[in-house]
C-alpha cells in the first residue's frame, strides 16, 4: 500500500486524490441504463424479458419470471443447519435493532390550540416496496435481511424482491432470507431492467412506491433515472473503509479489516489514518502478507493499488479532520478510548468502536444496517432504517372561530402572490 504524509492543509487534496473525481457511474453507463429504462417503461414485460436474455443469458416469460412456491420449497430444502441458524440469528438481531429504532421515532402528534382547532401529524408506512439484491455470480442474503426487515418493522404492507436468478436456481440462503423477513413475491430479474420494471410496473411485475438496495453501476444509474417516478434509498457506490489508528493499534487487525473491504470490488476504498509512522509501515507490510493468502487477492490487490493508502497525519486531531472531510461509509476507531472519541465524528455511515467491533460484524450480525451512504454522501445521508419506509402526513383541523382568526390574513397573502382563486376560496367561508 502506498503511504501518504499530510502536509498541513492538504487534506482536501488527499481526499480528491483518493476519490479521483470518480462518479458512481459515467455518462456511458447512464446512457445505456436510460435506453433500458425507457424501453421497459414503454414495452413492459416484452422489454423486461428481452433485456434479461440479452444481458443475463437466460430466457424468462410470464410463467417463470416470478419464483413459484414450489421453487421456494425446493430452495429451502437445500439449506444446511448452519445456514439456517446464522440467517435466523442475523434476522433476529436486525429486527431487534430496528424495533428499537421505531421506538425512538416520534409518531403521530397533535397540538390542540383550543376552540376546537388543532394542527398535527400522522405517520404512515409505505404500501409496497421493491428490494433489489444482487444475485448474478454471487448471492447476498444479508442484503435481503438488511432491506426487508426494517421495511417489515416499519409496517410496509407488501415487500417485493428483484434478484437475477436462472429458473430453478434460487439460492437456498436467499430463499430463507426472503421468507424470514416477510417477502412473499420474488422476481428473477436484475440490472437496469429490474429497476425500470419496479418503478413503472409491467404486466407481471407490480409497480412499487420505493426501491431500496445496492447493485452495480447500471442499477445505480437506473435508480437515478427513475427517481421521482418512485422514491429510492440512495445511489450506492463502491464500498469504503477508513480506519483511524493510534500507535498502539494492532497492524494485523488493521490489515485484515482493510482487505475485508478491498475484496468487495476493484473500486473499493481502503484507508488508514494514523500519526504513527512505525504503525503505518507495519500495516503496509501486513497487508502484503495477508493479501498473498486471500482467495480474492486479484480484486483486493487492484482496489488497494487504486484506492488504498496509509495516511500519516500530524496527530489524531488531523486524522479525525481527514475522516470528517472524507465522510466514509465505514469508520473504525482503533484508538485507546474509542467511546470517548466518538464525539469527534461528524460524517460517517457507521462507526465501529474498538478492536472488538470490526466492520465485518456490522455487515451481518451486529443488528445495525449495512446499507450505508458511500462516495462522501455520509456528509448528508444516513444508513437505511425504518424511517426510510415511513411517510409523514400533516393534518390541519381549524374550528370556525380559528378560521376567522387566520383566514383573512391568508386571503391577504394569496392576493399578494396574485392568486385570486385562493383568496376567493377563503372569502366564501366568511359565513362560517
Amino acid at each position: 500500500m502506498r503511504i501518504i504524509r499530510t502536509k498541513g492543509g492538504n487534506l482536501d487534496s488527499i481526499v480528491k486524490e483518493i476519490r479521483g473525481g470518480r462518479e458512481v457511474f459515467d455518462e456511458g453507463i447512464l446512457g445505456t441504463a436510460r435506453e433500458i429504462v425507457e424501453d421497459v417503461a414503454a414495452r413492459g414485460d416484452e422489454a423486461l424479458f428481452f433485456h434479461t436474455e440479452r444481458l443475463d443469458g437466460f430466457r424468462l416469460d410470464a410463467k417463470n419470471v416470478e419464483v413459484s412456491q414450489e421453487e421456494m420449497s425446493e430452495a429451502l430444502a437445500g439449506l444446511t443447519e448452519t445456514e439456517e441458524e446464522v440467517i435466523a440469528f442475523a434476522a433476529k438481531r436486525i429486527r431487534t435493532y430496528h424495533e428499537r429504532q421505531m421506538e425512538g421515532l416520534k409518531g403521530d402528534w397533535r397540538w390542540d390550540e383550543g376552540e376546537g382547532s388543532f394542527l398535527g401529524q400522522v405517520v404512515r408506512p409505505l404500501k409496497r416496496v421493491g428490494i433489489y439484491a444482487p444475485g448474478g455470480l454471487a448471492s447476498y442474503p444479508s442484503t435481503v435481511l438488511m432491506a426487508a426487515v426494517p421495511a417489515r418493522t416499519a409496517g410496509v404492507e407488501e415487500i417485493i424482491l428483484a434478484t437475477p436468478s436462472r429458473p430453478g436456481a434460487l439460492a437456498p440462503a436467499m430463499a430463507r432470507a426472503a421468507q424470514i423477513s416477510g417477502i412473499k413475491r420474488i422476481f428473477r430479474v436484475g440490472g437496469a431492467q429490474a429497476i425500470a420494471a419496479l418503478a413503472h410496473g409491467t404486466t407481471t411485475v407490480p409497480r412499487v412506491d420505493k426501491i431500496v438496495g445496492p447493485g452495480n453501476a447500471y442499477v445505480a444509474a437506473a435508480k437515478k433515472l427513475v427517481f421521482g417516478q418512485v422514491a429510492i434509498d440512495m445511489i450506492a457506490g463502491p464500498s469504503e473503509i477508513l480506519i483511524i489508528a493510534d500507535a498502539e493499534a494492532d497492524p494485523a487487525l488493521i490489515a485484515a479489516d482493510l482487505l475485508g473491504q478491498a475484496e468487495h470490488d476493484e473500486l473499493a476504498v481502503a484507508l488508514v489514518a494514523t500519526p504513527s509512522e512505525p504503525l503505518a509501515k507495519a500495516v503496509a507490510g501486513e497487508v502484503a502478507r495477508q493479501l498473498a493468502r486471500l482467495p480474492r487477492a486479484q480484486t483486493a490487490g487492484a482496489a488497494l493499488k487504486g484506492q488504498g493508502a496509509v495516511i500519516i497525519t500530524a496527530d489524531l486531531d488531523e486524522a479525525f479532520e481527514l475522516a470528517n472531510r472524507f465522510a466514509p461509509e465505514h469508520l473504525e476507531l482503533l484508538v485507546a478510548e474509542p467511546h470517548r472519541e466518538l464525539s469527534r465524528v461528524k460524517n460517517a455511515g457507521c462507526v465501529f468502536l474498538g478492536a472488538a467491533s470490526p466492520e465485518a460484524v456490522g455487515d451481518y450480525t451486529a443488528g445495525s444496517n449495512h446499507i450505508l451512504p458511500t462516495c462522501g454522501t455520509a456528509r448528508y445521508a444516513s444508513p437505511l432504517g425504518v424511517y426510510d419506509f415511513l411517510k409523514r402526513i400533516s393534518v390541519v383541523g381549524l374550528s370556525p372561530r380559528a378560521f376567522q382568526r387566520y383566514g383573512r390574513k391568508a386571503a391577504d397573502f394569496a392576493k399578494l402572490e396574485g392568486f385570486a382563486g385562493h383568496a376567493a376560496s377563503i372569502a366564501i367561508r366568511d359565513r362560517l
Side-chain angles (χ1 to χ4, degrees):
M1 291 181 73
R2 58 184 159 165
I3 295 178
I4 301 173
R5 290 175 173 79
T6 60
K7 298 175 182 177
N10 71 333
L11 298 184
D12 286 336
S13 64
I14 290 174
V15 171
K16 185 176 181 180
E17 177 186 348
I18 292 166
R19 291 212 182 278
R22 288 183 298 274
E23 300 292 338
V24 175
F25 42 78
D26 60 28
E27 285 302 314
I29 289 174
L30 189 64
T32 300
R34 179 179 287 109
E35 292 174 4
I36 295 171
V37 168
E38 291 177 350
D39 195 20
V40 173
R43 297 195 296 132
D45 277 347
E46 183 181 359
L48 179 64
F49 302 156
F50 168 76
H51 291 294
T52 297
E53 184 173 7
R54 180 175 68 89
L55 297 171
D56 295 331
F58 55 89
R59 183 170 296 181
L60 297 179
D61 56 36
K63 293 181 180 179
N64 69 5
V65 64
E66 184 173 356
V67 172
S68 67
Q69 287 304 308
E70 290 77 13
E71 186 177 349
M72 274 290 289
S73 297
E74 290 176 7
L76 291 169
L79 205 65
T80 68
E81 184 177 342
T82 299
E83 290 169 338
E84 164 62 31
E85 181 182 337
V86 72
I87 291 171
F89 180 83
K92 183 178 180 180
R93 292 283 297 173
I94 297 164
R95 186 174 297 110
T96 299
Y97 179 92
H98 290 88
E99 285 172 350
R100 296 288 181 88
Q101 206 174 56
M102 277 291 285
E103 292 170 10
L105 286 176
K106 189 169 184 179
D108 295 4
W109 58 268
R110 174 173 171 143
W111 169 32
D112 287 299
E113 296 188 281
E115 304 169 343
S117 175
F118 77 96
L119 299 175
Q121 173 184 280
V122 295
V123 178
R124 299 289 184 265
L126 301 180
K127 183 177 181 181
R128 182 186 290 142
V129 166
I131 292 172
Y132 186 89
L137 297 177
S139 62
Y140 298 95
S142 61
T143 295
V144 176
L145 294 177
M146 292 292 178
V149 170
R152 181 63 66 195
T153 303
V156 172
E157 185 177 319
E158 184 178 8
I159 307 172
I160 291 170
L161 173 62
T163 184
S165 170
R166 293 176 180 275
L170 181 65
M174 291 289 279
R176 181 57 177 140
Q179 181 190 58
I180 202 170
S181 53
I183 294 173
K184 304 296 185 187
R185 304 183 70 182
I186 304 174
F187 292 88
R188 56 177 99 257
V189 289
Q193 64 270 26
I195 300 303
L198 291 170
H200 295 282
T202 70
T203 302
T204 57
V205 180
R207 179 184 178 186
V208 302
D209 301 314
K210 187 167 188 172
I211 300 171
V212 305
N216 63 18
Y218 292 95
V219 169
K223 286 171 72 175
K224 179 174 182 177
L225 291 169
V226 301
F227 176 65
Q229 187 74 22
V230 292
I232 63 170
D233 53 348
M234 62 188 79
I235 306 294
S239 191
E240 307 166 343
I241 189 169
L242 193 158
I243 301 171
I244 295 179
D246 60 20
E248 304 306 314
D250 186 335
L253 296 186
I254 294 172
D257 292 350
L258 292 172
L259 290 170
Q261 287 302 296
E263 71 174 352
H264 268 289
D265 189 307
E266 291 186 356
L267 295 178
V269 177
L271 306 171
V272 183
T274 179
S276 171
E277 184 156 345
L279 180 73
K281 293 178 178 178
V283 168
E286 271 293 329
V287 166
R289 281 189 287 274
Q290 293 185 30
L291 179 63
R293 304 192 301 266
L294 195 69
R296 292 176 61 85
Q298 185 173 352
T299 297
L304 292 172
K305 183 178 180 181
Q307 302 80 231
V310 182
I311 303 165
I312 301 175
T313 59
D315 48 32
L316 281 178
D317 288 340
E318 189 174 58
F320 276 95
E321 179 62 26
L322 175 67
N324 284 323
R325 295 194 192 190
F326 194 81
E329 178 188 17
H330 307 105
L331 175 64
E332 287 190 0
L333 303 186
L334 297 183
V335 295
E337 297 185 68
H339 294 266
R340 191 179 72 178
E341 303 291 4
L342 179 60
S343 61
R344 296 217 234 179
V345 178
K346 307 302 179 187
N347 300 318
C350 187
V351 185
F352 300 87
L353 304 177
S357 305
E359 184 281 328
V361 175
D363 275 346
Y364 300 113
T365 56
S368 58
N369 210 291
H370 80 197
I371 300 176
L372 302 167
T374 60
C375 298
T377 60
R379 291 180 296 108
Y380 56 82
S382 305
L384 191 74
V386 292
Y387 32 73
D388 288 289
F389 303 101
L390 298 170
K391 59 184 179 182
R392 295 168 298 280
I393 303 172
S394 298
V395 179
V396 177
L398 300 180
S399 65
R401 190 167 179 179
F403 169 78
Q404 293 297 332
R405 183 178 305 149
Y406 307 131
R408 183 171 291 107
K409 293 189 182 299
D412 289 343
F413 213 120
K415 292 174 184 175
L416 181 153
E417 293 190 343
F419 288 108
H422 283 60
S425 77
I426 295 169
I428 201 171
R429 288 172 168 78
D430 276 350
R431 59 180 177 273
L432 293 179

